[in-house]
Amino acid sequence: MAGNAWRSLLTQAVGVAVRKPVQSSASFSRGMKMVTMIPGDGIGPEISAAVMKIFDAAKAPITWEERNVTAIKGPGGRWMIPPDAKESMDSSKIGLKGPLKTPIAAGHPSMNLLLRKTFDLYANVRPCVSIEGYKTPYTDVDLVTIRENTEGEYSGIEHMIVDGVVQSIKLITENASRRIAEYAFEYARNNKRTSVTAVHKANIMRMSDGLFLRKCREVAENYKDIKFTEMYLDTVCLNMVQDPTQFDVLVMPNLYGDILSDLCAGLIGGLGVTPSGNIGANGVAIFESVHGTAPDIAGMDLANPTALLLSAVMMLRHMGLHDCANKIQTACFDTIKDKKVLTKDLGGSAKCSEFTAEICRRIRDLD
Amino acid sequence: MTGRSVRALSGALKPLFSHRSPQVYEATAHKSTYTTIPPPARYGGRHTVTLIPGDGIGPELAKHVCELFRFCCVPVDFEVVNVDSTQTSADDISNAIMAIRRNGVALKGNIETNHNLPPSYRSRNNLLRTTLDLYANVMHCQSLPGVRSRHRNIDIMIIRENTEGEYSSLEHESVPGVVESLKIITRTKSLRIADYAFKTAREKGRRRVTAVHKANIMKLGDGLFLECCKEVASGYPEITYDSMIVDNTTMQLVSRPQQFDVMVMPNLYGNVVSNVCAGLVGGPGLVPGANYGENYALFETGTRNTGKSIANSNTANPTAMLLASCLLLDHLKLHAYASMIRRAILSTVTDTRLHTADLGGQGSTSEVVQSIMDAVQRAGPRTQSS
């Protein structure tokens, strides 16, 4: 049936590189896997609670360890995440994060940046698949953006050379480029994707994007089963809004990745329904919802937990728990397709708890 | 011409060119007041415009422009300057730049950049823009009736800083394997582009200007750009000014593009946003682009594509290039010719039978151009005394 075919397509897209589940004695106990849950701010706590309830209904073998990552000043005056949070992540290796607020004048850098630096989260993976039942002008979107997350334009190195002249430094290194290219091809191979496209602007930024491209080409040599193409950033943008079906896996440096991944999220319906995963060195992976904290609706039971839920499903696939992942995903998409119980941003008028309850009901019915 | 005869001539032509001076071709010092670009000289009542065919579909489209102008008796002579993109020497491009300095106005196709060449070989297009200080790239994206697209009623004017930002071509490899690329933002240029944006918005009666940036990450660089925009905005109280982060902008553009009016931004974001908008209204074959500097103007297709894969196959969409030539005519103050040709082009586009392949039709380039010429003929003979 078309629905099943579409769902299996979705499954391929939303899955992350399947690894042999990294089992350490600390994280597995009685078959349960421990995951560090970072509820976040604003609507974070309510959507995290919703996700935990849904996982409970699905009888997923996950135990949650809630942690707060508000930065504290460590010894030596450097800002760092609280040691208990770090410890929890180090032992569980998998995290699920809600939206974090970046305070303007708190003196410490954004928490997302801190997490990224602490766990060396070098790859941001965002699969964008059209959701049946949530209509956008674009149908049949099925692509994955893989963005280098540590360097590039976001190195934060800026100087005011003389008054009125600012220089921002974009850093591209061989190692980071190779690492992200390798991850992209690995991901493509593990998720049965057919092509990888490197997005660049080497006609203008000859050395930096040229280096990135060269590394991608080198890595492509080792993955002859996957088609490798290169495309200019502007051509990708132009073609993406006209015909997004021509793209499969896209790999790119930081800034282009930021813009393109949000562009693709916009194609499928926005940040409220887009999952995202950050892969780090040493097997660490943090899955997150990429929308904001929505302080205006926090605490009012109006939030949409779909983004966090889909990221959690991505997490389940990463851990190899495909059955559970499929169950939850099916229930979620069926609820959205049905259009009877939808939160306000999806076009309905239900509350977050009602939406969650509906998904739990469907999961229980599926069993 | 000697300096004295130029001055004499300019004296005679003073009523026509109110701010013309013999020093117009020298690099001007920083002007304290923003002045509009004067139209270049006419000799014998005809303008001379530099034409750079470029690569890919450029030469054939340039030919069509010449054909159409000849048919419509437009008083423009083209001085063709070829730039060979396979040559690594800078002679060709220097000749082109000199020709543009001489004529003041140019129409060009995109010159291909082989990005596998070493960094010493700068993109020819970039070189043109920075040497001639064509600081404002203006692209007007409008939904056209008769063109199939997912969004309707789009009318966005994109004003992009064209000379600095990420396109400064300042890169170095400090340590083997580590490359640094510099993005330069200056107060002068940011003020200049913001001023241009607001001035254009006021002239065209637009209500809102949105600055696109990434100042949450690039706090100093884009922060400076934003500051300059805000400063200029205070001088235009009738225009609403707001700002939006570039990733949110692209997301909004694909979901609700009708909310945008005029957008101003630094170089790279301009590249992304202009291509997204061009895609939204129907593709690279429809939107013309203009590059304005204080003394020169350069017209081309909006998305600057070479179209290598469809070169010489008579399938390219000539609309963008022809509309760019209409912008050229407007710049030369030949408004009647410009409107006549533009009307003919738009009537051909909205007549959905005659679309090229990129718009989902089966027409060829020459058929479309022929149809435009027929439309011009149907509109009746033009008589203009100027």
Side-chain angles (χ1 to χ4, degrees):
Chain A
M1 201 181 75
N4 284 333
W6 171 77
R7 244 172 246 131
S8 65
L9 181 76
L10 218 55
T11 308
Q12 284 177 358
V14 181
V16 183
V18 171
R19 291 199 185 108
K20 296 190 288 301
V22 174
Q23 303 175 21
S24 73
S25 53
S27 54
F28 257 90
S29 57
R30 290 162 281 122
M32 301 286 273
K33 178 90 172 72
M34 187 178 81
V35 167
T36 308
M37 159 74 89
I38 302 162
D41 310 304
I43 52 171
E46 33 191 309
I47 53 176
S48 317
V51 170
M52 288 198 277
K53 208 154 104 191
I54 293 172
F55 269 51
D56 207 32
K59 300 201 200 31
I62 307 275
T63 50
W64 304 98
E65 212 174 68
E66 273 192 49
R67 289 284 179 269
N68 190 339
V69 290
T70 315
I72 57 169
K73 244 201 170 125
R78 295 189 64 215
W79 290 101
M80 53 182 232
I81 62 171
D84 60 340
K86 183 155 192 311
E87 215 180 281
S88 170
M89 270 302 303
D90 281 338
S91 63
S92 65
K93 299 275 187 212
I94 308 280
L96 185 66
K97 178 176 86 65
L100 290 175
K101 168 176 71 176
T102 300
I104 313 254
H108 59 73
S110 104
M111 245 82 76
N112 290 313
L113 188 62
L114 217 46
L115 275 172
R116 210 172 296 148
K117 287 230 153 78
T118 315
F119 299 108
D120 196 17
L121 301 172
Y122 66 91
N124 178 274
V125 184
R126 215 182 269 191
C128 293
V129 187
S130 287
I131 297 181
E132 211 179 307
Y134 189 43
K135 282 230 106 272
T136 59
Y138 299 89
T139 52
D140 302 328
V141 179
D142 180 13
L143 51 89
V144 182
T145 55
I146 297 182
R147 155 195 178 188
E148 207 291 324
N149 222 359
T150 57
E151 54 172 25
E153 297 81 350
Y154 293 8
S155 319
I157 313 171
E158 289 185 294
H159 320 104
M160 186 162 274
I161 312 175
V162 290
D163 189 31
V165 179
V166 174
Q167 94 186 4
S168 292
I169 296 188
K170 162 179 164 165
L171 203 64
I172 299 276
T173 57
E174 209 174 290
N175 290 334
S177 306
R178 194 184 328 109
R179 193 164 61 162
I180 193 71
E182 270 168 6
Y183 179 77
F185 279 95
E186 218 25 78
Y187 179 95
R189 188 175 267 172
N190 293 332
N191 289 277
K192 303 190 195 44
R193 312 293 295 201
T194 47
S195 75
V196 171
T197 307
V199 181
H200 64 99
K201 261 221 90 61
N203 50 346
I204 302 292
M205 289 179 260
R206 198 70 54 75
M207 276 178 109
S208 34
D209 283 353
L211 175 61
F212 179 80
L213 259 191
R214 268 200 313 277
K215 290 294 137 204
C216 287
R217 283 182 197 146
E218 273 170 31
V219 173
E221 293 295 310
N222 302 332
Y223 292 83
K224 290 275 200 235
D225 50 332
I226 298 175
K227 187 164 133 199
F228 172 68
T229 44
E230 335 176 327
M231 219 187 230
Y232 288 137
L233 173 66
D234 40 13
T235 315
V236 172
C237 287
L238 189 59
N239 293 340
M240 182 75 78
V241 294
Q242 295 186 278
D243 181 23
T245 57
Q246 58 187 284
F247 296 106
D248 196 359
V249 177
L250 299 163
V251 64
M252 57 213 121
N254 217 333
L255 176 67
Y256 315 150
D258 192 8
I259 300 176
L260 269 181
S261 57
D262 278 0
L263 179 65
C264 298
L267 296 178
I268 61 169
L271 297 180
V273 294
T274 310
S276 170
N278 297 294
I279 312 295
N282 308 319
V284 171
I286 298 186
F287 299 86
E288 60 177 353
S289 60
V290 283
H291 52 72
T293 51
D296 47 337
I297 57 168
M300 302 204 284
D301 198 21
L302 292 171
N304 178 359
T306 309
L308 193 61
L309 186 61
L310 287 178
S311 306
V313 165
M314 212 172 142
M315 175 187 79
L316 285 174
R317 288 187 208 287
H318 178 88
M319 298 196 289
L321 301 164
H322 293 282
D323 293 330
C324 199
N326 286 333
K327 218 169 16 169
I328 298 176
Q329 189 181 285
T330 312
C332 179
F333 285 138
D334 279 347
T335 311
I336 297 179
K337 194 157 64 141
D338 222 17
K339 294 200 213 223
K340 291 209 198 75
V341 188
L342 290 178
T343 49
K344 188 146 165 279
D345 60 314
L346 291 174
S349 53
K351 291 195 160 300
C352 176
S353 43
E354 292 168 16
F355 184 69
T356 313
E358 177 68 16
I359 298 180
C360 294
R361 187 186 69 79
R362 279 183 197 269
I363 293 177
R364 278 186 272 264
D365 287 345
L366 278 172
D367 277 332
Chain B
M1 284 183 118
T2 63
R4 221 178 52 190
S5 55
V6 169
R7 270 189 285 277
L9 187 66
S10 71
L13 294 172
K14 233 182 181 59
L16 291 174
F17 306 103
S18 49
H19 30 246
R20 190 96 166 118
S21 77
Q23 302 119 310
V24 87
Y25 293 120
E26 285 169 322
T28 47
H30 171 73
K31 287 189 182 166
S32 54
T33 55
Y34 177 90
T35 54
T36 50
I37 311 161
R42 296 193 305 180
Y43 300 99
R46 298 179 68 82
H47 293 271
T48 310
V49 171
T50 308
L51 177 63
I52 303 171
D55 299 309
I57 52 174
E60 58 190 274
L61 293 181
K63 210 163 43 83
H64 287 302
V65 171
C66 294
E67 218 175 283
L68 185 62
F69 275 24
R70 214 179 356 255
F71 180 78
C72 300
C73 305
V74 176
V76 166
D77 290 321
F78 284 113
E79 180 190 344
V80 180
V81 181
N82 284 305
V83 176
D84 189 355
S85 58
T86 55
Q87 295 285 349
T88 45
S89 90
D91 287 343
D92 272 352
I93 197 68
S94 309
N95 289 338
I97 293 174
M98 199 145 44
I100 301 177
R101 280 200 218 270
R102 190 166 51 235
N103 297 320
V105 188
L107 181 68
K108 84 180 242 297
N110 198 42
I111 304 166
E112 197 188 335
T113 307
N114 180 357
H115 59 260
N116 296 313
L117 286 176
S120 51
Y121 175 84
R122 277 184 71 177
S123 151
R124 293 311 183 227
N125 305 301
N126 196 15
L127 215 46
L128 264 179
R129 294 191 290 265
T130 46
T131 320
L132 297 170
D133 199 24
L134 300 168
Y135 63 90
N137 176 269
V138 182
M139 219 169 99
H140 188 186
C141 294
Q142 269 176 306
S143 287
L144 294 174
V147 173
R148 245 185 320 127
S149 65
R150 291 182 176 86
H151 306 269
R152 307 260 59 158
N153 302 322
I154 299 177
D155 188 357
I156 304 176
M157 185 161 256
I158 298 164
I159 296 173
R160 158 190 178 188
E161 210 293 324
N162 219 4
T163 52
E164 58 169 17
E166 297 81 350
Y167 288 39
S168 314
S169 297
L170 294 165
E171 297 178 299
H172 49 264
E173 190 161 8
S174 28
V175 170
V178 176
V179 175
E180 285 183 349
S181 171
L182 303 182
K183 162 180 165 164
I184 310 284
I185 302 272
T186 55
R187 174 174 289 278
T188 348
K189 292 196 177 177
S190 303
L191 281 173
R192 195 168 60 164
I193 193 67
D195 201 36
Y196 185 89
F198 278 91
K199 210 174 175 69
T200 309
R202 180 178 266 174
E203 276 168 20
K204 305 256 191 277
R206 316 284 285 205
R207 300 268 65 128
R208 185 169 154 225
V209 172
T210 308
V212 178
H213 65 97
K214 190 88 192 153
N216 50 342
I217 304 287
M218 288 183 256
K219 300 186 171 64
L220 282 186
D222 287 351
L224 176 60
F225 181 80
L226 269 189
E227 223 179 274
C228 296
C229 288
K230 200 143 155 234
E231 216 177 289
V232 173
S234 56
Y236 294 79
E238 79 277 15
I239 298 178
T240 321
Y241 164 73
D242 56 2
S243 61
M244 201 183 262
I245 302 185
V246 61
D247 40 12
N248 189 20
T249 308
T250 48
M251 217 175 340
Q252 297 292 328
L253 276 171
V254 292
S255 43
R256 220 170 36 97
Q258 298 81 3
Q259 61 183 291
F260 294 105
D261 194 358
V262 178
M263 299 168 84
V264 62
M265 59 206 95
N267 218 331
L268 184 69
Y269 312 145
N271 188 252
V272 172
V273 170
S274 56
N275 276 275
V276 170
C277 290
L280 292 174
V281 299
L286 287 180
V287 192
N291 302 284
Y292 296 107
E294 279 194 23
N295 304 306
Y296 313 109
L298 178 68
F299 300 92
E300 54 179 354
T301 61
T303 47
R304 303 171 176 167
N305 301 99
T306 329
K308 237 188 338 187
S309 52
I310 53 170
N312 298 320
S313 59
N314 204 16
T315 50
N317 192 341
T319 311
M321 188 59 115
L322 294 175
L323 284 175
S325 64
C326 290
L327 289 177
L328 167 71
L329 292 174
D330 273 326
H331 178 76
L332 296 175
K333 305 271 192 275
L334 297 169
H335 297 297
Y337 287 105
S339 335
M340 174 180 81
I341 298 178
R342 192 174 286 129
R343 232 175 296 132
I345 298 172
L346 293 178
S347 80
T348 304
V349 169
T350 56
D351 166 13
T352 38
R353 278 181 306 117
L354 211 49
H355 282 176
T356 42
D358 62 317
L359 296 177
Q362 273 137 353
S364 69
T365 317
S366 34
E367 281 173 18
V368 173
V369 177
Q370 187 58 51
S371 155
I372 293 171
M373 294 200 280
D374 292 341
V376 167
Q377 189 140 57
R378 270 197 305 274
R382 241 191 38 78
T383 52
Q384 198 205 355
S385 50
S386 80

